[in-house]
Amino acid sequence: VNFHFINSSDSSTNFDQMSAEKFARGLLNSANEVLRKNTKMFLPNGNDTPVLPLRYQYKWVNDPETNKRAIYYHYDDEVCKYVHRGKNRNYGDRKVIKKYGIQTDSILNIFMMSHHPDSVASKTYAADGVGVAVGASIKIAGPFYSQKPYWTFIGTLNHEIGHVYTLSHTWSYDDQCDDTPKNPNCFNRDAAKAGCDSLTSNNVMDYNAWQAAFPPCQIGRIQNSMATENSRQRK
């Protein structure tokens, strides 16, 4: 993988370079730790779903010119603004990837972006951690304006990369895995919300406070996509 921090021309909408590298380093190391440990599924209650090793890790490549960790800083008013909701949403736009992506055919490019300042100013817009998989790249927004620590974005990173490796949301969709039961998509255990006291998921492809469990079927889908010759994921 490599990292791109997309900022405005006046450097006001994303981290400075020292903070950005510290954030990226902590995020990637922590995400790898989650992959190494894996976690038992919460659902279905009382399940005996095996906890298997994922057998993959993220590797931060070196830039071929500097031989240092591949982290890039872009100051560009045209592509620095990420809008996740509303009529002007642009989360699926590929412009920033086409403009700044490096070796996107063989390196997973991670674009760290910021919510649009106008969105942040709105009381109805939640400028929290969000992300999207766009082809073989991912875009994440939220760290700068939320000021939350890197470890709160581990689930977002692993979730979006899960999409790249063919995984789907599980809570109300047929994700072609029998060991990922549908659920109310509760972020946390909450007795006040129907079903959330006992049906909260910890699966990486649901939206929840854990996003740390990969059951065998999801691991199999990831490994199969990596092993299939000529697949985008294998490249």
Side-chain angles (χ1 to χ4, degrees), residues 20-233:
E21 182 163 359
K22 183 178 180 181
F23 186 95
R25 189 193 306 271
L27 177 61
L28 201 67
N29 288 343
S30 298
N32 270 332
E33 183 70 10
V34 170
L35 298 184
R36 281 193 294 271
K37 289 183 175 180
N38 202 1
T39 301
K40 182 176 175 59
M41 286 277 287
F42 286 171
L43 301 178
N45 291 318
N47 74 81
D48 57 358
T49 304
V51 181
L52 304 180
L54 277 81
R55 300 176 59 222
Y56 74 92
Q57 291 276 275
Y58 308 132
K59 180 182 179 181
W60 196 343
V61 300
N62 286 345
D63 178 78
E65 294 185 5
T66 65
N67 203 33
K68 296 180 180 179
R69 281 191 176 92
I71 180 169
Y72 307 99
Y73 308 97
H74 311 290
Y75 303 88
D76 189 332
D77 293 328
E78 183 183 11
V79 295
C80 70
K81 300 174 180 67
Y82 179 103
V83 182
H84 197 72
R85 296 179 180 87
K87 65 179 181 179
N88 296 317
R89 61 186 180 273
N90 63 0
Y91 60 87
D93 189 277
R94 295 173 179 262
K95 189 177 297 183
V96 69
I97 299 170
K98 291 180 179 178
K99 194 168 186 178
Y100 293 118
I102 294 177
Q103 292 181 255
T104 55
D105 60 340
S106 55
I107 297 174
L108 198 155
N109 286 238
I110 301 170
F111 292 85
M112 304 300 297
M113 308 186 71
S114 287
H115 294 281
H116 196 296
D118 292 346
S119 300
V120 176
S122 170
K123 294 181 179 180
T124 61
Y125 187 92
D128 290 326
V130 291
V132 63
V134 184
S137 301
I138 68 170
K139 296 158 69 173
I140 292 176
F144 178 74
Y145 281 116
S146 72
Q147 291 297 302
K148 292 181 178 179
Y150 63 78
W151 50 264
T152 62
F153 294 88
I154 297 170
T156 304
L157 180 70
N158 285 336
H159 178 103
E160 299 308 333
I161 293 179
H163 281 312
V164 172
Y165 283 91
T166 76
L167 301 188
S168 302
H169 296 147
T170 76
W171 63 86
S172 61
Y173 304 88
D174 178 11
D175 69 338
Q176 301 180 25
C177 282
D178 293 337
D179 51 14
T180 55
K182 294 181 179 179
N183 60 80
N185 193 26
C186 305
F187 185 77
N188 217 326
R189 291 192 173 108
D190 180 3
K193 186 176 179 181
C196 291
D197 56 341
S198 60
L199 296 176
T200 300
S201 171
N202 65 337
N203 187 266
V204 68
M205 298 311 296
D206 292 324
Y207 294 150
N208 57 72
W210 296 271
Q211 291 184 300
F214 297 77
C217 178
Q218 287 181 329
I219 297 172
R221 288 182 63 88
I222 292 168
Q223 291 293 337
N224 182 66
S225 68
M226 290 180 176
T228 301
E229 292 187 10
N230 301 319
S231 73
R232 180 181 65 196
Q233 292 81 7

